[in-house]
Amino acid sequence: MSGQVRPITLVGTPVLHRPCRPVEDFDAALKDLVDDMLASMYEAEGVGLAANQIGVDLRVFVYDCPDEDGERRRGAVVNPVLELLALENRRLDDGDEGCLSVPGPHARLARPDRATVHGYDVRGTAITVEGTGLLARCLQHETDHLEGRLYIDRLSARARKKVLKEYESLQAEAEPDALPG
Ligand code: NI
C-alpha cells in the first residue's frame, strides 16, 4: 500500500460538520487520496473512513469491514448515494457504534440492518455495494459523514452529552503525551 497516514480530524473541526463537495475529476489525485484514506484507516484500526476525516472536503469513503456472514469486504466509494429499504420493511439493529473522530466512547444506535450504496470507484465506474450486519452500519455511518453528520448527532441529547463528556475527559488525559518529543 502506497498511501500516507494522515491525522484524523476530530469532532468540532468544521469540515466534519458540513456536507462535502462531489468529486468531479477521477484523476491520479483521487487515487492518491483513496490510498491515503486506506492507510489512515488501517493505522487508526477503523473499519471505515470518510475523506473529511482526514480534512478533505470531497464525497469519498473507504471501508474494510465484515458483513453479517463475517465476510470481509473492502473498497472505496466516490459520490455515494445511500438506499435503505422502505420504512415498513426495515429491521433495526441496535448495535454499538463509535467513530475515529470521537475516539474512545461508544454508544448504542439503532440503524437499519441492511443498506445499499450506489456510487463510483476511483476510475469512475458505477458500483453498488450492498451491506448487511456491521457493513450495513458502516455504509450508513460513512455516508452520514459526507453529509456533515456524526453518529452522535443521531443520539438522544442525553446520550450525545455522555459520549462527548467521555471523549473530552479522554482528550484531557491524552494531552501531555501529544506534546512534541
Ligand atoms: Ni466515523
Side-chain angles (χ1 to χ4, degrees):
M1 183 134 340
S2 52
Q4 196 182 329
V5 174
R6 302 215 224 157
I8 307 282
T9 49
L10 297 175
V11 56
T13 310
V15 74
L16 285 179
H17 300 283
R18 58 177 187 237
C20 291
R21 289 186 300 119
V23 169
E24 286 171 3
D25 299 315
F26 291 81
D27 54 9
L30 177 64
K31 198 177 171 304
D32 288 347
L33 170 64
V34 165
D35 286 346
D36 286 0
M37 287 168 63
L38 286 167
S40 304
M41 177 182 73
Y42 289 126
E43 175 72 16
E45 295 179 1
V47 294
L49 188 84
N52 48 351
Q53 290 187 278
I54 57 167
V56 176
D57 175 21
L58 284 174
R59 300 180 74 84
V60 189
F61 73 78
V62 295
Y63 62 96
D64 185 341
C65 183
D67 64 17
E68 71 178 348
D69 298 321
E71 193 186 327
R72 192 173 156 194
R73 309 268 301 274
R74 174 177 184 270
V77 186
V78 179
N79 297 341
V81 176
L82 182 71
E83 183 192 324
L84 297 172
L85 291 174
L87 214 49
E88 64 270 23
N89 296 327
R90 281 182 205 170
R91 268 189 323 209
L92 294 181
D93 164 15
D94 185 22
D96 247 10
E97 193 158 325
C99 180
L100 296 175
S101 293
V102 194
H106 294 260
R108 281 197 175 280
L109 176 59
R111 290 195 190 258
D113 71 348
R114 50 189 58 235
T116 302
V117 161
H118 303 282
Y120 299 87
D121 68 11
V122 285
R123 291 179 303 276
T125 305
I127 55 169
T128 293
V129 182
E130 289 180 35
T132 56
L134 189 58
L135 181 60
R137 182 173 295 278
C138 175
L139 295 176
Q140 294 170 74
H141 180 111
E142 301 312 329
T143 48
D144 268 356
H145 267 301
L146 301 178
E147 295 298 336
R149 191 184 292 137
L150 300 181
Y151 84 97
I152 59 171
D153 301 330
R154 291 187 177 275
L155 298 175
S156 68
R158 187 181 167 163
R160 186 181 199 277
K161 205 167 163 184
K162 184 166 172 275
V163 163
L164 284 174
K165 202 169 166 187
E166 188 182 337
Y167 158 76
E168 275 154 20
S169 72
L170 287 169
Q171 290 297 112
E173 272 173 41
E175 221 144 81
D177 297 326
L179 292 173

